[in-house]
Amino acid sequence: MKSYPAIVLEHLETLTDRTGIIQHSIFSIPNRRTGYTTDDNSRALIVALHEYERTHDRRLLRLVSTYLSFLHYAQMPNKRFHNFMSFDQIFLDNEGSEDCFGRVLWACGEAVAAGIHENVRKVARSLFDQAVHWVPMLDSLRGKSYAAIGCAKYLKGYPEAEDVKLHLVQLADKICATFKAYASKEWVWFEPFLTYSNGIPPRALFLAYQCTGKEEYLDVGLKSLDFLNEITTIDDIHQPIGCNGWYFRGSERAFFDQQPVDPMTSVTANLSAYEVTKDSHYFKYARLAFDWFFGKNCVGEALYDPVTGGCYDALTPEGVNLNQGAESTVSCLLAQLAMAPYVESEVENAITPRLL
């Protein structure tokens, strides 16, 4: 049994003001000049929701309200979402990306299903219901995958929502069709390249399988995740695809810079696979990706900062990038929250005598 640090939200709170979570930092100090993104506030909302469910600490309700209010403000008259906002609360884009749209649906779906008071759930449901009609127009793989996760979470709160289930099926079918278009014996993936957040499409399919029982979703999810695990595991160390060049089929892969969002998505994808298959090797891969945050990586340096509870922004050939921005910190917290039930169970089993 390995000991992991406690979940600490101090740096998340440091980055958060009355508007939302600030995008970047200078070391551990918020860099207000970089403003805010809907992407970060969506993921921060998920953290706050899960930590509230875990601890029932009422102080978290302020964070939930702040992040959800940001999403409400970001919703445009056409019911899509802005992404980039300056520190003086002026949106800087005409419309956010499909990834941004999908992340909002994911966050709102999580809120709809959360064990939290009804006022929060109603606001999240309203945002989701107003936006979901855009789902058939999504084209990007990750936009569809985030939206599918959101639909699956929404259905946990409202399993009778047949329109949302239909959207989920349409999204999962499209993700599988993309896989069939690009996958081969040597390259078992949805695209001719591996870039960022690669665990998201397999995880979306596992959640869709849980909601529908459609075996194709499980089959494609497992095949693609097995390929991803093989590519990103070297000498029993998790090595996510580097953003400085990515990995295009037939070319050399990039090993740096490694970003915390990628191990986080591998943790959650493998835990979802473990949940549906009970195959322990998926839990092994989840733990390898989780350990990346705490020093079991290719340079042997922890990205988790025990002083602040934050996470450094990247792993470079020279070591860690010492800034602790929103995406990296939230990614680490999401990984910690996903692993928490398993880590806590291990501790309990280790200290509680077994009854024979």
Side-chain angles (χ1 to χ4, degrees), residues 131-203:
V132 74
H133 72 275
W134 284 106
V135 161
M137 277 67 85
L138 294 175
D139 186 57
S140 77
L141 173 64
R142 283 157 191 79
K144 288 182 285 192
S145 299
Y146 285 122
I149 294 172
C151 289
K153 296 295 183 178
Y154 186 107
L155 288 167
K156 286 189 175 182
Y158 293 95
E160 71 280 4
E162 290 298 324
D163 58 329
V164 175
K165 187 172 183 179
L166 178 61
H167 282 304
L168 175 60
V169 169
Q170 291 172 339
L171 287 164
D173 285 347
K174 288 179 179 179
I175 295 168
C176 288
T178 301
F179 179 83
K180 292 175 183 176
Y182 289 105
S184 65
K185 184 177 180 180
E186 296 77 23
W187 186 266
V188 193
W189 195 243
F190 304 89
E191 299 171 308
F193 41 77
L194 284 160
T195 55
Y196 62 95
S197 300
N198 294 307
I200 292 298
R203 185 184 180 211

Side-chain angles (χ1 to χ4, degrees), residues 243-275:
C243 70
N244 189 16
W246 307 121
Y247 182 19
F248 289 80
R249 181 170 56 190
S251 302
E252 293 293 321
R253 63 169 284 180
F255 284 92
F256 298 102
D257 293 350
Q258 297 178 12
Q259 310 254 312
V261 68
D262 296 297
M264 179 273 287
T265 65
S266 286
V267 169
T268 54
N270 277 288
L271 289 181
S272 291
Y274 176 61
E275 184 177 343

